[in-house]
Amino acid sequence: MYRYNLVQRLLHWTIAVCVLGMLAIGLTMMLVATEKGVFDGLVKTFGQDMTNTIYMLHKSFGVVILALMIPRILAKLMSRKPDYRVPLTGFERAASGAVHGLMYVMLILMPVIGWLATAAGGYPVEFFGGTLPGLIGKDPALSETLYTLHFYFGLGLMGLVGLHIAAAFFHTLIKRDGLISRMGFF
């Protein structure tokens, strides 16, 4: 067996698309931020209605990622890891384990921290037009700290995703060891 099962592959690619979209939104937020903050920069760049939509989508897809990570972790724990066609070197195994482990941690922590930061800021935790419970009360100082953590974790996740994609290209284009087929559909 050289491939992950269908459920694992579907979860991987669904989460990957969501994460890439979220990183694009986060990067946009960072690039348009003004001295008054991200919200002000988004309003100046895109207008009030689009800003509200951007925030709603960011919060909603954060919840989606968190929800998808639960079956992703369960599937990982319950399924056998497929064999490699060409064994990885010790460094490759260690790097892969570290990057994957840190991505899993980030993909749980980031949505949770974002959820708590939003609630502590006194803002609604939106989910595609509805509102989820805030989980904690309003605390502006805590909110600021949590948003700062969320921002730095976002940068860290961006780096990890970059390493993950670079490794996929390395194994596909340079080593040509078939590694990408473990998570691919073809």
Side-chain angles (χ1 to χ4, degrees):
M1 173 179 87
Y2 295 109
R3 296 177 83 183
Y4 285 94
N5 66 46
L6 181 61
V7 169
Q8 289 173 298
R9 287 181 283 146
L10 287 171
L11 285 167
H12 172 274
W13 289 108
T14 303
I15 293 168
V17 168
C18 290
V19 167
L20 290 175
M22 291 293 277
L23 290 175
I25 290 171
L27 189 59
T28 300
M29 290 173 151
M30 185 177 72
L31 292 174
V32 302
T34 67
E35 64 281 347
K36 291 184 181 178
V38 172
F39 187 83
D40 183 64
L42 286 170
V43 170
K44 283 184 176 183
T45 305
F46 299 109
Q48 184 70 49
D49 290 341
M50 182 56 82
T51 296
N52 291 339
T53 300
I54 289 168
Y55 270 97
M56 183 274 297
L57 290 172
H58 191 72
K59 293 173 191 179
S60 298
F61 278 103
V63 172
V64 167
I65 290 168
L66 179 61
L68 289 173
M69 284 305 295
I70 295 165
R72 177 83 193 266
I73 290 169
L74 290 174
K76 183 177 182 68
L77 294 173
M78 294 170 45
S79 301
R80 184 175 168 266
K81 189 175 182 179
D83 296 325
Y84 294 98
R85 287 191 177 133
V86 177
L88 298 180
T89 66
F91 172 78
E92 290 169 336
R93 275 193 314 278
S96 173
V99 169
H100 282 99
L102 287 170
M103 280 196 303
Y104 274 61
V105 168
M106 294 286 206
L107 292 175
I108 296 292
L109 284 180
M110 284 202 58
V112 169
I113 290 170
W115 190 325
L116 295 174
T118 299
Y123 305 110
V125 180
E126 299 169 281
F127 186 70
F128 297 111
T131 303
L132 299 174
L135 303 179
I136 61 173
K138 187 172 180 176
D139 183 339
L142 177 61
S143 178
E144 187 173 326
T145 299
L146 291 172
Y147 276 128
T148 300
L149 271 175
H150 189 72
F151 169 77
Y152 284 114
F153 280 11
L155 293 177
L157 182 60
M158 200 175 300
L160 292 169
V161 168
L163 285 172
H164 184 67
I165 292 170
F169 279 117
F170 173 76
H171 283 279
T172 301
L173 301 174
I174 296 172
K175 281 191 82 172
R176 298 177 188 241
D177 58 8
L179 185 78
I180 194 83
S181 66
R182 291 165 46 100
M183 198 52 84
F185 287 99
F186 307 104

